[in-house]
Amino acid sequence: MKPRDALDNIPYARFLDVGVEEDADGIVCVLPFRDDLVGNAALPAIHGGVVGAFLELTALVGLLAVGETQRVPKPINFAVDYLRSVGPRTTRGRAAIVKHGRRIANVRVVAWQDDPAKPVAAGIGNFLL
């Protein structure tokens, strides 16, 4: 299954309008900003649940990009580190597969907004393939 097809079949990915871009380093997931994604209007900042879901979707896309599976990997566990306030701008994320076994994969994800050197959130998780 191709990453774009998987995102089209995941209702929450469609709701968030998560997209996929490619650059010289590989696949980048894109979370466009919308006013209804703001969780803290005083900052304003995108809701942490949206950021966590985006990181998990980015990990899935990273796995699907390298795998030959027709199934979407199932998350076993996923931890999120919120590093900075996620402001009202487009957010991008990239996955790095730490270990890809026959049944389980470990994936790290980093999300940023303007500068990849200044991540806004990071995550790591294990997925059942």
mmCIF file of all heavy atoms in Angstrom, residues 73-107:
data_model
loop_
_atom_site.group_PDB
_atom_site.id
_atom_site.type_symbol
_atom_site.label_atom_id
_atom_site.label_comp_id
_atom_site.label_asym_id
_atom_site.label_seq_id
_atom_site.Cartn_x
_atom_site.Cartn_y
_atom_site.Cartn_z
ATOM 1 N N PRO A 73 0.332 -0.732 9.269
ATOM 2 C CA PRO A 73 0.882 -1.203 10.545
ATOM 3 C C PRO A 73 0.047 -0.702 11.724
ATOM 4 O O PRO A 73 -0.482 0.408 11.697
ATOM 5 C CB PRO A 73 2.292 -0.596 10.559
ATOM 6 C CG PRO A 73 2.611 -0.330 9.132
ATOM 7 C CD PRO A 73 1.310 -0.003 8.473
ATOM 8 N N LYS A 74 -0.036 -1.539 12.753
ATOM 9 C CA LYS A 74 -0.828 -1.181 13.932
ATOM 10 C C LYS A 74 0.101 -0.690 15.032
ATOM 11 O O LYS A 74 1.085 -1.367 15.349
ATOM 12 C CB LYS A 74 -1.601 -2.399 14.427
ATOM 13 C CG LYS A 74 -2.611 -2.894 13.452
ATOM 14 C CD LYS A 74 -3.302 -4.124 13.973
ATOM 15 C CE LYS A 74 -4.296 -4.620 12.939
ATOM 16 N NZ LYS A 74 -4.928 -5.850 13.372
ATOM 17 N N PRO A 75 -0.220 0.440 15.640
ATOM 18 C CA PRO A 75 0.650 0.932 16.720
ATOM 19 C C PRO A 75 0.547 0.042 17.964
ATOM 20 O O PRO A 75 -0.545 -0.345 18.366
ATOM 21 C CB PRO A 75 0.127 2.340 17.008
ATOM 22 C CG PRO A 75 -1.221 2.401 16.392
ATOM 23 C CD PRO A 75 -1.307 1.351 15.339
ATOM 24 N N ILE A 76 1.694 -0.289 18.526
ATOM 25 C CA ILE A 76 1.759 -1.025 19.789
ATOM 26 C C ILE A 76 1.858 -0.017 20.930
ATOM 27 O O ILE A 76 1.135 -0.094 21.907
ATOM 28 C CB ILE A 76 2.967 -1.981 19.794
ATOM 29 C CG1 ILE A 76 2.799 -3.020 18.691
ATOM 30 C CG2 ILE A 76 3.130 -2.633 21.168
ATOM 31 C CD1 ILE A 76 4.030 -3.877 18.448
ATOM 32 N N ASN A 77 2.773 0.910 20.790
ATOM 33 C CA ASN A 77 2.899 2.021 21.742
ATOM 34 C C ASN A 77 3.499 3.205 20.992
ATOM 35 O O ASN A 77 4.147 3.044 19.961
ATOM 36 C CB ASN A 77 3.737 1.644 22.955
ATOM 37 C CG ASN A 77 5.151 1.260 22.583
ATOM 38 O OD1 ASN A 77 5.494 1.179 21.409
ATOM 39 N ND2 ASN A 77 5.959 0.993 23.565
ATOM 40 N N PHE A 78 3.243 4.408 21.509
ATOM 41 C CA PHE A 78 3.799 5.604 20.876
ATOM 42 C C PHE A 78 3.936 6.675 21.946
ATOM 43 O O PHE A 78 2.971 6.975 22.652
ATOM 44 C CB PHE A 78 2.882 6.091 19.745
ATOM 45 C CG PHE A 78 3.580 7.023 18.803
ATOM 46 C CD1 PHE A 78 4.353 6.535 17.768
ATOM 47 C CD2 PHE A 78 3.486 8.392 18.972
ATOM 48 C CE1 PHE A 78 5.020 7.394 16.915
ATOM 49 C CE2 PHE A 78 4.143 9.252 18.119
ATOM 50 C CZ PHE A 78 4.916 8.749 17.083
ATOM 51 N N ALA A 79 5.118 7.246 22.073
ATOM 52 C CA ALA A 79 5.386 8.301 23.059
ATOM 53 C C ALA A 79 5.700 9.601 22.327
ATOM 54 O O ALA A 79 6.387 9.600 21.309
ATOM 55 C CB ALA A 79 6.562 7.906 23.936
ATOM 56 N N VAL A 80 5.186 10.700 22.865
ATOM 57 C CA VAL A 80 5.368 12.015 22.241
ATOM 58 C C VAL A 80 6.088 12.935 23.216
ATOM 59 O O VAL A 80 5.743 12.991 24.408
ATOM 60 C CB VAL A 80 4.005 12.631 21.857
ATOM 61 C CG1 VAL A 80 4.193 14.030 21.278
ATOM 62 C CG2 VAL A 80 3.267 11.739 20.872
ATOM 63 N N ASP A 81 7.080 13.645 22.715
ATOM 64 C CA ASP A 81 7.747 14.718 23.466
ATOM 65 C C ASP A 81 7.372 16.030 22.801
ATOM 66 O O ASP A 81 7.663 16.240 21.619
ATOM 67 C CB ASP A 81 9.272 14.545 23.439
ATOM 68 C CG ASP A 81 9.723 13.336 24.226
ATOM 69 O OD1 ASP A 81 9.113 13.057 25.285
ATOM 70 O OD2 ASP A 81 10.666 12.663 23.783
ATOM 71 N N TYR A 82 6.718 16.916 23.572
ATOM 72 C CA TYR A 82 6.348 18.242 23.067
ATOM 73 C C TYR A 82 7.497 19.179 23.388
ATOM 74 O O TYR A 82 7.776 19.448 24.555
ATOM 75 C CB TYR A 82 5.042 18.713 23.703
ATOM 76 C CG TYR A 82 3.893 17.789 23.375
ATOM 77 C CD1 TYR A 82 3.504 16.784 24.268
ATOM 78 C CD2 TYR A 82 3.221 17.899 22.173
ATOM 79 C CE1 TYR A 82 2.460 15.930 23.966
ATOM 80 C CE2 TYR A 82 2.178 17.047 21.855
ATOM 81 C CZ TYR A 82 1.809 16.066 22.754
ATOM 82 O OH TYR A 82 0.781 15.218 22.450
ATOM 83 N N LEU A 83 8.181 19.670 22.364
ATOM 84 C CA LEU A 83 9.411 20.424 22.563
ATOM 85 C C LEU A 83 9.208 21.932 22.527
ATOM 86 O O LEU A 83 9.934 22.667 23.202
ATOM 87 C CB LEU A 83 10.434 20.016 21.489
ATOM 88 C CG LEU A 83 10.693 18.502 21.402
ATOM 89 C CD1 LEU A 83 11.577 18.188 20.216
ATOM 90 C CD2 LEU A 83 11.297 17.998 22.698
ATOM 91 N N ARG A 84 8.264 22.394 21.725
ATOM 92 C CA ARG A 84 7.968 23.829 21.603
ATOM 93 C C ARG A 84 6.472 23.972 21.328
ATOM 94 O O ARG A 84 5.818 23.026 20.894
ATOM 95 C CB ARG A 84 8.724 24.456 20.428
ATOM 96 C CG ARG A 84 10.202 24.553 20.608
ATOM 97 C CD ARG A 84 10.837 25.289 19.405
ATOM 98 N NE ARG A 84 12.225 25.585 19.650
ATOM 99 C CZ ARG A 84 13.219 24.751 19.385
ATOM 100 N NH1 ARG A 84 12.961 23.569 18.873
ATOM 101 N NH2 ARG A 84 14.460 25.091 19.645
ATOM 102 N N SER A 85 5.961 25.175 21.518
ATOM 103 C CA SER A 85 4.584 25.458 21.143
ATOM 104 C C SER A 85 4.455 25.338 19.622
ATOM 105 O O SER A 85 5.292 25.848 18.879
ATOM 106 C CB SER A 85 4.229 26.874 21.593
ATOM 107 O OG SER A 85 2.950 27.212 21.132
ATOM 108 N N VAL A 86 3.417 24.640 19.181
ATOM 109 C CA VAL A 86 3.188 24.441 17.752
ATOM 110 C C VAL A 86 2.244 25.544 17.289
ATOM 111 O O VAL A 86 1.037 25.481 17.504
ATOM 112 C CB VAL A 86 2.606 23.040 17.466
ATOM 113 C CG1 VAL A 86 2.458 22.824 15.968
ATOM 114 C CG2 VAL A 86 3.503 21.971 18.077
ATOM 115 N N GLY A 87 2.814 26.568 16.688
ATOM 116 C CA GLY A 87 2.076 27.774 16.325
ATOM 117 C C GLY A 87 1.173 27.602 15.118
ATOM 118 O O GLY A 87 1.072 26.525 14.531
ATOM 119 N N PRO A 88 0.502 28.686 14.735
ATOM 120 C CA PRO A 88 -0.469 28.634 13.631
ATOM 121 C C PRO A 88 0.198 28.670 12.262
ATOM 122 O O PRO A 88 0.038 29.623 11.493
ATOM 123 C CB PRO A 88 -1.331 29.887 13.891
ATOM 124 C CG PRO A 88 -0.406 30.829 14.572
ATOM 125 C CD PRO A 88 0.529 29.985 15.407
ATOM 126 N N ARG A 89 0.922 27.629 11.951
ATOM 127 C CA ARG A 89 1.601 27.503 10.655
ATOM 128 C C ARG A 89 1.559 26.033 10.231
ATOM 129 O O ARG A 89 1.289 25.151 11.038
ATOM 130 C CB ARG A 89 3.064 27.950 10.765
ATOM 131 C CG ARG A 89 3.226 29.431 11.071
ATOM 132 C CD ARG A 89 4.684 29.812 11.142
ATOM 133 N NE ARG A 89 5.406 29.183 12.235
ATOM 134 C CZ ARG A 89 5.350 29.539 13.513
ATOM 135 N NH1 ARG A 89 4.568 30.525 13.871
ATOM 136 N NH2 ARG A 89 6.057 28.926 14.425
ATOM 137 N N THR A 90 1.900 25.787 8.994
ATOM 138 C CA THR A 90 1.985 24.417 8.500
ATOM 139 C C THR A 90 3.090 23.676 9.254
ATOM 140 O O THR A 90 4.156 24.223 9.501
ATOM 141 C CB THR A 90 2.278 24.421 6.998
ATOM 142 O OG1 THR A 90 1.186 25.054 6.329
ATOM 143 C CG2 THR A 90 2.458 23.014 6.464
ATOM 144 N N THR A 91 2.796 22.432 9.621
ATOM 145 C CA THR A 91 3.747 21.589 10.347
ATOM 146 C C THR A 91 4.162 20.442 9.442
ATOM 147 O O THR A 91 3.331 19.863 8.732
ATOM 148 C CB THR A 91 3.100 21.041 11.630
ATOM 149 O OG1 THR A 91 2.595 22.138 12.395
ATOM 150 C CG2 THR A 91 4.094 20.255 12.462
ATOM 151 N N ARG A 92 5.441 20.129 9.470
ATOM 152 C CA ARG A 92 5.971 19.023 8.665
ATOM 153 C C ARG A 92 6.613 17.990 9.582
ATOM 154 O O ARG A 92 7.084 18.330 10.664
ATOM 155 C CB ARG A 92 6.984 19.545 7.651
ATOM 156 C CG ARG A 92 6.355 20.332 6.546
ATOM 157 C CD ARG A 92 7.358 20.831 5.524
ATOM 158 N NE ARG A 92 6.690 21.254 4.305
ATOM 159 C CZ ARG A 92 5.949 22.335 4.181
ATOM 160 N NH1 ARG A 92 5.782 23.128 5.204
ATOM 161 N NH2 ARG A 92 5.349 22.642 3.041
ATOM 162 N N GLY A 93 6.649 16.742 9.121
ATOM 163 C CA GLY A 93 7.245 15.678 9.911
ATOM 164 C C GLY A 93 7.932 14.650 9.045
ATOM 165 O O GLY A 93 7.542 14.424 7.902
ATOM 166 N N ARG A 94 8.965 14.052 9.619
ATOM 167 C CA ARG A 94 9.721 13.021 8.898
ATOM 168 C C ARG A 94 9.957 11.852 9.852
ATOM 169 O O ARG A 94 10.253 12.031 11.025
ATOM 170 C CB ARG A 94 11.051 13.577 8.427
ATOM 171 C CG ARG A 94 11.868 12.584 7.585
ATOM 172 C CD ARG A 94 13.245 13.102 7.216
ATOM 173 N NE ARG A 94 13.259 14.430 6.651
ATOM 174 C CZ ARG A 94 13.051 14.715 5.365
ATOM 175 N NH1 ARG A 94 12.820 13.747 4.509
ATOM 176 N NH2 ARG A 94 13.094 15.955 4.942
ATOM 177 N N ALA A 95 9.844 10.642 9.309
ATOM 178 C CA ALA A 95 10.054 9.429 10.097
ATOM 179 C C ALA A 95 11.402 8.809 9.764
ATOM 180 O O ALA A 95 11.859 8.889 8.633
ATOM 181 C CB ALA A 95 8.947 8.420 9.812
ATOM 182 N N ALA A 96 12.005 8.208 10.774
ATOM 183 C CA ALA A 96 13.242 7.440 10.592
ATOM 184 C C ALA A 96 13.026 6.078 11.239
ATOM 185 O O ALA A 96 12.668 5.991 12.416
ATOM 186 C CB ALA A 96 14.424 8.153 11.233
ATOM 187 N N ILE A 97 13.188 5.049 10.454
ATOM 188 C CA ILE A 97 12.986 3.696 10.976
ATOM 189 C C ILE A 97 14.261 3.248 11.673
ATOM 190 O O ILE A 97 15.320 3.155 11.055
ATOM 191 C CB ILE A 97 12.591 2.742 9.850
ATOM 192 C CG1 ILE A 97 11.255 3.215 9.280
ATOM 193 C CG2 ILE A 97 12.501 1.301 10.353
ATOM 194 C CD1 ILE A 97 10.839 2.538 8.028
ATOM 195 N N VAL A 98 14.136 2.986 12.961
ATOM 196 C CA VAL A 98 15.282 2.554 13.760
ATOM 197 C C VAL A 98 15.540 1.076 13.526
ATOM 198 O O VAL A 98 16.670 0.659 13.311
ATOM 199 C CB VAL A 98 15.041 2.843 15.255
ATOM 200 C CG1 VAL A 98 16.188 2.335 16.093
ATOM 201 C CG2 VAL A 98 14.810 4.326 15.475
ATOM 202 N N LYS A 99 14.467 0.271 13.578
ATOM 203 C CA LYS A 99 14.598 -1.168 13.329
ATOM 204 C C LYS A 99 13.337 -1.666 12.643
ATOM 205 O O LYS A 99 12.228 -1.364 13.079
ATOM 206 C CB LYS A 99 14.810 -1.942 14.624
ATOM 207 C CG LYS A 99 14.991 -3.429 14.382
ATOM 208 C CD LYS A 99 15.383 -4.173 15.620
ATOM 209 C CE LYS A 99 15.834 -5.554 15.237
ATOM 210 N NZ LYS A 99 15.026 -6.597 15.453
ATOM 211 N N HIS A 100 13.509 -2.412 11.561
ATOM 212 C CA HIS A 100 12.388 -2.980 10.815
ATOM 213 C C HIS A 100 12.550 -4.494 10.816
ATOM 214 O O HIS A 100 13.321 -5.047 10.044
ATOM 215 C CB HIS A 100 12.386 -2.437 9.385
ATOM 216 C CG HIS A 100 11.126 -2.714 8.642
ATOM 217 N ND1 HIS A 100 10.775 -3.944 8.184
ATOM 218 C CD2 HIS A 100 10.120 -1.885 8.288
ATOM 219 C CE1 HIS A 100 9.609 -3.873 7.582
ATOM 220 N NE2 HIS A 100 9.191 -2.629 7.633
ATOM 221 N N GLY A 101 11.828 -5.151 11.735
ATOM 222 C CA GLY A 101 11.899 -6.599 11.808
ATOM 223 C C GLY A 101 10.831 -7.244 10.953
ATOM 224 O O GLY A 101 10.185 -6.584 10.137
ATOM 225 N N ARG A 102 10.649 -8.553 11.148
ATOM 226 C CA ARG A 102 9.626 -9.244 10.376
ATOM 227 C C ARG A 102 8.228 -8.918 10.864
ATOM 228 O O ARG A 102 7.289 -8.863 10.092
ATOM 229 C CB ARG A 102 9.837 -10.763 10.443
ATOM 230 C CG ARG A 102 11.002 -11.227 9.592
ATOM 231 C CD ARG A 102 11.156 -12.725 9.586
ATOM 232 N NE ARG A 102 11.542 -13.191 10.918
ATOM 233 C CZ ARG A 102 10.997 -14.219 11.541
ATOM 234 N NH1 ARG A 102 10.075 -14.927 10.948
ATOM 235 N NH2 ARG A 102 11.403 -14.583 12.735
ATOM 236 N N ARG A 103 8.077 -8.708 12.202
ATOM 237 C CA ARG A 103 6.744 -8.473 12.756
ATOM 238 C C ARG A 103 6.602 -7.129 13.443
ATOM 239 O O ARG A 103 5.494 -6.615 13.579
ATOM 240 C CB ARG A 103 6.402 -9.580 13.753
ATOM 241 C CG ARG A 103 6.401 -10.955 13.073
ATOM 242 C CD ARG A 103 5.707 -11.970 13.866
ATOM 243 N NE ARG A 103 4.335 -11.505 14.084
ATOM 244 C CZ ARG A 103 3.607 -11.878 15.120
ATOM 245 N NH1 ARG A 103 4.078 -12.699 15.985
ATOM 246 N NH2 ARG A 103 2.390 -11.431 15.280
ATOM 247 N N ILE A 104 7.694 -6.560 13.919
ATOM 248 C CA ILE A 104 7.639 -5.301 14.674
ATOM 249 C C ILE A 104 8.667 -4.331 14.107
ATOM 250 O O ILE A 104 9.777 -4.728 13.742
ATOM 251 C CB ILE A 104 7.889 -5.550 16.172
ATOM 252 C CG1 ILE A 104 6.760 -6.403 16.742
ATOM 253 C CG2 ILE A 104 8.017 -4.241 16.941
ATOM 254 C CD1 ILE A 104 6.940 -6.796 18.192
ATOM 255 N N ALA A 105 8.281 -3.059 14.072
ATOM 256 C CA ALA A 105 9.208 -2.000 13.642
ATOM 257 C C ALA A 105 9.229 -0.899 14.698
ATOM 258 O O ALA A 105 8.214 -0.629 15.345
ATOM 259 C CB ALA A 105 8.783 -1.425 12.307
ATOM 260 N N ASN A 106 10.381 -0.285 14.870
ATOM 261 C CA ASN A 106 10.554 0.840 15.788
ATOM 262 C C ASN A 106 10.841 2.073 14.937
ATOM 263 O O ASN A 106 11.728 2.050 14.084
ATOM 264 C CB ASN A 106 11.715 0.551 16.751
ATOM 265 C CG ASN A 106 11.915 1.680 17.720
ATOM 266 O OD1 ASN A 106 12.599 2.642 17.399
ATOM 267 N ND2 ASN A 106 11.321 1.561 18.889
ATOM 268 N N VAL A 107 10.066 3.138 15.165
ATOM 269 C CA VAL A 107 10.146 4.333 14.323
ATOM 270 C C VAL A 107 10.257 5.582 15.184
ATOM 271 O O VAL A 107 9.535 5.722 16.174
ATOM 272 C CB VAL A 107 8.895 4.452 13.411
ATOM 273 C CG1 VAL A 107 9.025 5.642 12.482
ATOM 274 C CG2 VAL A 107 8.663 3.180 12.646
#
